Amino acid sequence: MQEIEKIVNGKDLFKRPEYQEVLANKKQFESSMLAINPAKVDEIAEWTKSWDYREKNLAREAITVNPAKACQPLGAVMVALGFEGTMPYVHGSHGCVAYFRSYFTRHFKEPTPCVSDSMTEDAAVFGGLVNMKEGLKNCAAVYKPKMIAVSTTCMAEVIGDDLMAFIIAAKEEDKGEFLPAEYPIPYAHTPSFVGSHITGYDNMMHGIMSQLTEGNKGETKQRINIIPGFETYIGSLRSVKSIVEAFGTDYIMLGDHSDQWDMPAGQYEMFQGGTKLDDAKDCINSSATISLQKYATSKTMKMVEKRWKHKGGFSNPVGLKGTDEFVMKLAELTGTEVPQKLKTERGRLVDAMQDSYPYMHGKKFAIWGDPDFLIGAVSFLLEMGAEPTHVLCHNAPNGWEAEMRAMLDTSPAKDSLNVWAGKDLWAMRSLLFTEPVDFMIGNSYGKELMRDTGTPLIYIGFPIFDRHHLHRYSISGYDGALNLLTWITNKVLDQLDEDTKGIATTDYFFDLIR
């Protein structure tokens, strides 16, 4: 057991005799008195590494193993926390909300405010109206947010709860005490059994923007709206703002959660930063809107283009080419020449890419993540002469696979580069055993693949639970591309050192001089 004088972590604690005894007894119990044949287990384990198993694994449709995505309300919570004084409110069970809070808190290492109206068995039968009326009133009375953003879980969606009607009923019953008629309570239906966290992001962003801007159309202002998308790198938000500010133009970032998950020590507040609600209400009068993640904002941008009649469109500022396109779009929209500051940053990145190119060229990578992240990251790998052998996107929307395929077809190695849309990380395991690569790029759930297949993992993506502070960096803009370059190249060099450390056997490469 733990000793007060010498507290140890789990790595050392569970090696102690008393824990080893418990684990041994547990193993005996679980194997039904040694009924499991270890040799058979090893035989099946080896078979799962074969091409025969791979074909069966990739044909699998009825079950997901180790998914590379999360559910819709997670994205809705991110959107809400990007607006000033806004409390994410999830209409559903308390356990779901505890999952969302812990998921974000483990990634960002910061508290994540979010409430639930805790639907239970009776609500599952009779509907969640009572829960909603009490929950919204309690939320407003206790936490005093400036806005409450309502999303849903599976339970509420299976029942078919009408959010708009429930919100109206809650305000009528409250009689203006805590929920006056003008109090903003935007909502979005976010069923977890379809789509993914980026779908929830899009639905909630659409819900907030459509409600806040209703009736506010006025004179157009020379101003640009920026929608970041489901962006989990805090530094990326700041890099994008720095690029826009370099042009000297007025702008609004819609859904700016950079301060919420990056508070200084001793300065915690329930709500920190975020897009001002007055700015959000007026954003309809901007002259242009740019979304940085096409697949995470498709519904929202349809509204922007068709109803708001804004210019702008999509631009993914990851890598050299992606950042160039974003910078040139800003130059076009503002009618301003590209600032020298950005030209200098670009030149430094190109110089660094030239330095590192020999180490990344020809290296084979397996990579997974969200669709917009993959578009940017794979573009950067191709710029460096790398070979993205397996590109896997579990939550790939319509059109993504074709766009990724067209991008890979620009590589000289195109015939050996594969796109895997709708597949999970258990499918990735088969791919790594049958068509091995040099490195993987992905989130923390790749740790099992790294240990199982021996493929080195470069931690880039979401979520990252078992490494610290990576989310504070940027992967967008020229400085973000330099971060990607540094992380990937140094991992290549780490592996090179590991592969050449055998004395008088493999140590023929020693890139060090006195």
Side-chain angles (χ1 to χ4, degrees), residues 60 120 385 438 462:
R60 170 171 47 90
T120 54
D438 299 305
F462 173 82

Side-chain angles (χ1 to χ4, degrees), residues 102-402:
S102 66
Y103 211 80
F104 278 134
T105 297
R106 290 168 65 199
H107 176 82
F108 291 109
K109 310 297 186 286
E110 294 279 1
T112 300
C114 182
V115 300
S116 164
D117 50 23
S118 301
M119 293 174 64
T120 54
E121 291 86 348
D122 56 342
V125 176
F126 301 108
L129 176 59
V130 174
N131 297 69
M132 176 76 79
K133 290 191 292 187
E134 294 181 1
L136 288 175
K137 181 175 182 176
N138 288 340
C139 178
V142 174
Y143 300 110
K144 299 178 174 56
K146 294 182 179 181
M147 181 169 75
I148 300 174
V150 178
S151 54
T152 55
T153 66
C154 296
M155 181 187 295
E157 290 298 325
V158 170
I159 299 168
D161 281 353
D162 186 336
L163 294 184
M164 183 173 70
F166 284 13
I167 292 169
I168 292 172
K171 286 185 174 182
E172 289 177 348
E173 184 172 294
D174 181 70
K175 294 183 172 60
E177 182 180 6
F178 297 105
L179 303 171
E182 68 276 9
Y183 188 83
I185 308 179
Y187 64 90
H189 289 276
T190 54
S192 300
F193 43 79
V194 295
S196 70
H197 52 284
I198 66 168
T199 318
Y201 181 97
D202 195 13
N203 286 335
M204 192 75 252
M205 181 62 74
H206 180 275
I208 290 177
M209 298 319 304
S210 59
Q211 177 168 329
L212 291 185
T213 60
E214 183 68 30
N216 290 333
K217 183 63 176 174
E219 185 178 349
T220 299
K221 302 175 181 179
Q222 291 304 308
R223 183 179 61 200
I224 299 174
N225 301 327
I226 305 291
I227 304 178
F230 191 89
E231 180 55 74
T232 58
Y233 283 88
I234 297 299
S236 288
L237 299 177
R238 293 170 181 157
S239 291
V240 168
K241 288 189 281 187
S242 176
I243 292 173
V244 180
E245 288 165 3
F247 280 89
T249 188
D250 192 15
Y251 75 97
I252 300 172
M253 180 167 278
L254 297 173
D256 181 0
H257 50 264
S258 56
D259 290 337
Q260 179 66 48
W261 279 307
D262 197 20
M263 297 185 202
Q267 297 184 26
Y268 176 76
E269 298 178 12
M270 181 68 72
F271 312 111
Q272 185 79 274
T275 306
K276 299 292 186 183
L277 295 188
D278 287 343
D279 288 342
K281 292 175 183 178
D282 191 52
C283 74
I284 191 174
N285 297 314
S286 297
S287 55
T289 298
I290 301 175
S291 167
L292 306 184
Q293 294 189 0
K294 175 168 64 174
Y295 295 104
T297 58
S298 57
K299 180 179 179 180
T300 301
M301 288 302 288
K302 283 181 182 178
M303 175 185 71
V304 168
E305 293 166 1
K306 293 182 178 180
R307 289 170 48 189
W308 296 6
K309 308 297 183 184
H310 281 195
K311 299 180 293 183
F314 302 99
S315 187
N316 188 334
V318 177
L320 179 64
K321 180 175 180 288
T323 304
D324 283 350
E325 291 175 351
F326 179 58
V327 169
M328 295 312 296
K329 184 178 287 288
L330 290 174
E332 176 189 347
L333 292 173
T334 61
T336 306
E337 184 181 349
V338 176
Q340 183 59 45
K341 170 182 180 291
L342 297 179
K343 294 179 181 179
T344 301
E345 288 183 8
R346 185 185 191 278
R348 289 170 179 158
L349 171 62
V350 172
D351 180 69
M353 292 170 68
Q354 290 171 336
D355 293 339
S356 300
Y357 189 87
Y359 295 97
M360 283 182 61
H361 176 77
K363 292 293 187 297
K364 296 181 181 295
F365 288 85
I367 183 170
W368 67 89
D370 288 337
D372 294 292
F373 162 75
L374 289 172
I375 292 294
V378 169
S379 176
F380 180 70
L381 289 174
L382 293 172
E383 290 168 353
M384 293 301 297
E387 299 179 10
T389 305
H390 301 300
V391 182
L392 184 147
C393 186
H394 196 172
N395 53 337
N398 291 334
W400 177 87
E401 185 175 6

